[in-house]
Amino acid sequence: MTDASPPRPVLLAVDDDPHVLRAVRRDLRAAYADRYRVLSAPSGREALRTLDSLEARDEEPALFLVDQRMPDMTGVDFLLEAVARFPSARRVLLTAYADTEAAITAINQVRLDHYLLKPWDPPEERLYPVLDDLLDDWWASYHPPYRGIRVVGHPVSPAAHHIRDFLTRNQQPFRFVDAARDEEAAQLTAGHPDARLPLVLFPEGDALSAPDSAQLAGRLGIAGTATRPHYDVLIVGGGPAGLGGAVYSASEGLSTLLLDRDVPGGQAGMSSRIENYLGFPTGLSGGDLARRAVTQARRFGAEILSPVEAVGLRKAGPSHIVTLADGREISAEVVLLTTGVSYNRLDVPGVERFENAGLYYGAATAETTACAGEEVHIIGGANSAGQAAMHFSQHAADVTLLVRGDSLEKGMSQYLVDEIAARPNIRVRLNTRVTGLAGGDRLEELVLRDSAEERTEEVPARFVFTFIGARPRTDWVAGLLQRNRAGFLLTGPDLVRGEDGGVPGWEAGREPFLLETSMPGVFAAGDVRAGSVKRVASGVGEGAMAVALIHRYRASV
């Protein structure tokens, strides 16, 4: 038996000008009446009474479209009260040309999502694309009451963490049920007496016992198979560079396949908040950026397969063959390697026993709820660590940032340094490194060494997230493509030359292109490439640049 369908989300328009309000209501109903309830109010006070009614009926507004200039209450003042009640609703301000400054101020005051200048005709060009994007974002984070996926397991189990992380990063709503504490657990597992925990139960009645990523992806219908025997472009790695390459490659008519060993998004996809990416003044999460990019790539016809792992690469005549871990082989004219990097493991004896049981690599946003009211420790002094500190400070009681260096400014963007300094529950400990971990079934304690004061202390620690440098994911092409000592791929002018001035093994009758590796027709972009700028924007840019070079390569063969 399933729950009744929840009521449709609400779009609320507020404007004191009856002609404008009528026009807003008309345009909203024309495009969204089949999926949303469109409500309107002639003033901020009346709109607040509407919100009272929605709260009483447990209904949820998805979007506020509010005029700034209203006599009894400005649009910003209304939004300040409205978002306190419904913080997830998207916020759009209707402004005249003279109100632009107020709109920009509102970005900081109410985290305004967008402002529209009146008039917005034609709505197909100036209204609907903006609202479609905001509503897609709202749905991605909205969790309506329903009987969806349930995960029964132990909170500190590495296997349970892996499943929660996989579902979270794939935007799959679920409810976690503590096998030891929740009364619901016994009822849910009763029908599966031989199942191993964690147990994943689906609303259709079936279940998976301790599944891996491939089993989950197959059940959720997100794994897929290649539809062609041969592609123009095969991209290995789904971070910003890979997704950027997929968007540009597919949009320019090249048959494109992207492979990712886990969930598209890469390290950036695990970021809790990216605030310096062009075009998003209020910032966005790495998961949101990855979701948008995947949708955009697929819209242009790119195919995306995950989780699949590339383990081999060889040249076969004019083609390149990539071998997958399951033995499958995929052929392509050109290969673009965007495998990125993975965070370095903490170099402390016995660290393996606490991985995903109190010690996590990356932001691990699946653990956000578990951290509520707890103390969180974050190891690292670069942007990823700073973004994680800001994210967890919204949920944890206290966040301690452990930095080996003597200054945050040396490795972190200034905007993050300033935000951390202004957040009262974030503490920064400089000149500090972790030298030991302790605990039973899960992490319970850290041993910290202060190099400035030359002292060691033990501190309680249940949640530790590490961001301590990264290593490239290139072991699978070692000995095949040129790498530097750290394992990053060499490309173009950085390729090592032999005594004759040529690249050893280079068979093409030309010089390597800028992002081309030591194998003609194999390119590299993003963090995996030696000398790349480790930023989301530069990764996307290199992915786009690689496509331009791929066109030149195809014209040369």
Side-chain angles (χ1 to χ4, degrees):
M1 181 176 180
T2 58
D3 292 339
S5 299
R8 288 178 297 169
V10 169
L11 308 182
L12 178 59
V14 189
D15 200 304
D16 66 312
D17 186 326
H19 299 291
V20 175
L21 189 60
R22 190 180 306 115
V24 174
R25 192 166 54 235
R26 176 201 65 214
D27 288 344
L28 291 180
R29 286 176 175 169
Y32 303 108
D34 60 330
R35 291 160 288 162
Y36 302 88
R37 287 183 63 208
V38 178
L39 302 179
S40 61
S43 69
R45 298 297 177 193
E46 183 63 30
L48 290 176
R49 286 191 283 272
T50 299
L51 296 187
D52 291 337
S53 300
L54 293 178
E55 282 186 300
R57 295 194 298 267
D58 290 326
E59 294 188 54
E60 188 84 10
L63 181 138
F64 301 126
L65 187 60
V66 186
D67 182 44
Q68 167 61 9
R69 291 193 178 189
M70 294 186 291
D72 66 328
M73 175 183 281
T74 68
V76 172
D77 288 339
F78 165 75
L79 289 173
L80 282 169
E81 295 200 33
V83 299
R85 307 185 193 189
F86 298 102
S88 66
R90 297 308 187 251
R91 307 134 205 184
V92 179
L93 202 63
L94 287 174
T95 66
Y97 179 77
D99 298 325
T100 302
E101 188 62 35
I104 293 174
T105 301
I107 290 176
N108 294 322
Q109 287 185 326
V110 297
R111 307 294 286 184
L112 189 70
D113 294 297
H114 203 89
Y115 65 89
L116 288 170
L117 293 175
K118 297 185 284 187
W120 56 84
D121 291 328
E124 291 79 9
E125 295 180 10
R126 301 182 61 186
L127 179 66
Y128 298 150
V130 172
L131 300 191
D132 287 345
D133 193 40
L134 293 176
L135 291 171
D136 283 347
D137 268 356
W138 183 82
W139 276 112
S141 59
Y142 174 54
H143 303 290
Y146 77 110
R147 295 188 183 275
I149 298 172
R150 289 177 171 83
V151 179
V152 183
H154 299 288
V156 296
S157 159
H161 164 77
H162 173 77
I163 290 172
R164 296 200 309 270
D165 185 62
F166 184 87
L167 294 173
T168 299
R169 295 177 62 196
N170 274 289
Q171 309 286 329
Q172 297 288 331
F174 69 95
R175 178 182 298 167
F176 183 77
V177 181
D178 189 326
R181 298 184 179 182
D182 293 344
E183 296 180 2
E184 184 183 9
Q187 178 184 353
L188 293 174
T189 57
H192 308 275
D194 299 324
R196 293 180 294 116
L197 296 182
L199 179 67
V200 183
L201 300 106
F202 298 91
E204 293 78 10
D206 58 322
L208 290 175
S209 173
D212 59 23
S213 295
Q215 291 172 311
L216 281 172
R219 173 59 183 81
L220 295 168
I222 59 178
T225 56
T227 63
R228 298 168 178 257
H230 181 82
Y231 290 83
D232 294 329
V233 179
L234 173 59
I235 302 173
V236 184
L243 289 168
V247 167
Y248 281 90
S249 176
S251 70
E252 294 174 14
L254 301 177
S255 59
T256 304
L257 175 66
L258 182 146
L259 311 175
D260 193 90
R261 64 185 292 181
D262 190 14
V263 179
Q267 275 194 327
M270 300 172 65
S271 177
S272 51
R273 200 75 182 166
I274 302 171
E275 294 191 78
N276 59 351
Y277 190 66
L278 183 67
F280 294 89
T282 59
L284 78 169
S285 71
D288 284 341
L289 179 62
R291 176 183 56 79
R292 290 168 181 259
V294 166
T295 300
Q296 192 173 17
R298 284 181 169 149
R299 174 185 163 230
F300 287 122
E303 297 178 33
I304 298 177
L305 302 186
S306 68
V308 292
E309 184 175 4
V311 296
L313 170 66
R314 73 178 190 276
K315 193 170 178 61
S319 299
H320 298 82
I321 309 296
V322 170
T323 303
L324 305 183
D326 61 8
R328 285 182 290 168
E329 293 189 334
I330 301 177
S331 169
E333 181 179 357
V334 181
V335 173
L336 173 58
L337 302 180
T338 57
T339 47
V341 296
S342 56
Y343 287 113
N344 289 330
R345 268 22 193 181
L346 195 63
D347 187 16
V348 176
V351 68
E352 295 83 4
R353 60 183 287 213
F354 300 116
E355 288 187 8
N356 296 329
L359 175 67
Y360 306 94
Y361 294 96
T365 52
E367 302 301 322
T368 297
T369 302
C371 291
E374 298 276 354
E375 181 170 0
V376 169
H377 290 79
I378 294 174
I379 305 173
N383 278 8
S384 295
Q387 290 161 353
M390 291 299 298
H391 169 72
F392 285 110
S393 71
Q394 300 176 56
H395 309 276
D398 295 289
V399 175
T400 301
L401 196 57
L402 305 174
V403 183
R404 296 186 68 169
D406 58 3
S407 169
L408 270 188
E409 286 82 357
K410 288 182 178 179
M412 192 177 295
S413 295
Q414 190 61 47
Y415 82 92
L416 270 174
V417 175
D418 295 340
E419 289 183 352
I420 288 171
R423 192 61 60 95
N425 64 334
I426 297 180
R427 177 191 179 195
V428 179
R429 291 190 55 163
L430 302 174
N431 306 301
T432 301
R433 60 188 179 92
V434 176
T435 59
L437 302 94
D441 293 335
R442 64 157 300 143
L443 179 64
E444 297 173 4
E445 188 176 83
L446 288 179
V447 180
L448 304 180
R449 173 68 178 174
D450 188 317
S451 59
E453 299 184 8
E454 297 186 352
R455 62 184 178 85
T456 299
E457 65 175 310
E458 299 170 353
V459 299
R462 288 171 46 83
F463 294 95
V464 178
F465 301 87
T466 70
F467 305 83
I468 51 172
R471 61 187 186 279
R473 291 173 171 165
T474 59
D475 289 346
W476 66 289
V477 291
L480 183 65
L481 303 180
Q482 283 192 16
R483 305 185 300 167
N484 66 11
R485 291 183 178 180
F488 292 91
L489 294 176
L490 297 174
T491 59
D494 293 330
L495 289 169
V496 177
R497 305 279 174 156
E499 292 182 0
D500 61 355
V503 176
W506 186 260
E507 299 175 357
R510 57 170 176 80
E511 285 294 297
F513 294 122
L514 182 63
L515 300 183
E516 198 168 14
T517 69
S518 56
M519 179 183 288
V522 177
F523 293 79
D527 289 357
V528 74
R529 191 180 68 82
S532 64
V533 178
K534 305 302 188 277
R535 289 289 185 271
V536 174
S538 63
V540 174
E542 284 198 8
M545 185 193 306
V547 175
L549 297 173
I550 286 169
H551 284 302
R552 293 177 60 186
Y553 168 81
R554 298 181 75 223
S556 70
V557 295

